[in-house]
Amino acid sequence: MAKILDGKKLALEIQQRLKSEIDQGLIKAGRAPGLAVIRVGNDPASGVYVSNKTRACEKIGVKSFSIQLDEKSSTEEIISKITDLNDDLRIDGILVQLPLPSHINSSKILKSILPTKDADGLHAYNLGSLLKGEPGPRSCTPAGIMALLASSNIELDGTRAVVVGRSILVGKPMGLMLQAANSTVTVAHSHTKDLSKLTNEADVLVVAAGKPQMIGKEHVSENTVVIDVGIHRIPQEKALVNGSLYSLCGDVRTEEVFSKARAITPVPGGVGPMTVSMLLVNTVFRWQDHCGLPFTLADLLP
Ligand code: GUN
């Protein structure tokens, strides 16, 4: 039976720690940390993510600024809003919820955020810092996974890791963070041949492919630690599940893999809550910098 890696529990512990850092720094800083969250359009899944993020802010004493823009907003209009937020001294972090509508130039949008206010660690400058091993805000999902592995005492030095998925949000930065921890990393993707042969050799398998339940017991060995980044809503045709017409699943067939692998993250309650907590870590880290406070969170920024 696999060990369950409880992201929800660790995420709450990190939030407690952040709350106490904020309480301690508040008088010297003269203001609370501020996070601006921009949502463009009405994608319901993005709506859920954004409200999770703003609720977590309120709980720990981060002031959140929710900005809802019209689906038809132009790239220039969004950049103009970001420029105002760059100049706003109450704001330490800016996040643009992805994906953006297809007519928007996402790359230009992410580049318009001041690198020192990049709560998501997705600005080209900050991704460059990660590549070079220099400090800076880190992409939230992979940073959250690194924190979860560390707190579960999963040693990475000398291991073989396979990351399935090469997105800029997860797969690419994940590969760099694992490599920085001295793992030997392969990044697989939709054109990779004989995936199960590759993944069977992995000590750590991170699945961020965006394909519901694509990884099963044939992909893992008894030594594999499986990190499931996927989260999908599956319609329930017959009955209500937990009062809902949908149930959630990841990119992994959890029950199958649970009976075979060394450890696994659940969906929900694994990677998702860690992403939110790392967003808060990036924001509080930027606040400490903007307000001349000592940095106290370096151990959480891989
Ligand atoms: N959409 C899904 N996950 C994320 C995330 O971590 N950051 C942003 N900005 N958008 C997302």
Side-chain angles (χ1 to χ4, degrees), residues 53 95-98 120 141 169 275:
K53 288 168 184 174
L95 171 145
V96 179
Q97 186 65 29
L98 302 172
D120 243 348
T141 299
L169 204 56
T275 299

Side-chain angles (χ1 to χ4, degrees), residues 24-90:
Q24 280 173 43
L26 208 47
I27 289 181
K28 185 169 178 214
R31 63 172 180 83
L35 173 68
V37 180
I38 300 176
R39 181 178 169 218
V40 185
N42 287 311
D43 174 52
S46 287
V48 174
Y49 293 140
V50 166
S51 58
N52 285 345
K53 288 168 184 174
T54 49
R55 236 180 311 126
C57 284
E58 279 154 26
K59 250 176 49 195
I60 66 161
V62 170
K63 187 165 170 42
S64 67
F65 298 77
S66 273
I67 294 122
Q68 172 71 57
L69 298 178
D70 191 84
E71 174 86 33
K72 295 199 172 68
S73 303
S74 65
T75 300
E76 289 66 32
E77 281 165 340
I78 302 170
I79 290 178
S80 155
K81 188 71 221 172
I82 291 171
T83 307
D84 292 344
L85 297 168
N86 283 340
D87 294 338
D88 188 331
L89 296 177
R90 298 168 303 167

Side-chain angles (χ1 to χ4, degrees), residues 119-157:
D120 243 348
L122 295 178
H123 189 286
Y125 181 90
N126 291 323
L127 287 168
S129 296
L130 171 63
L131 185 70
K132 294 189 78 177
E134 293 169 0
R138 293 294 192 239
S139 317
C140 300
T141 299
I145 292 168
M146 294 302 283
L148 188 55
L149 291 170
S151 92
S152 313
N153 296 316
I154 291 167
E155 177 60 56
L156 292 171
D157 200 316

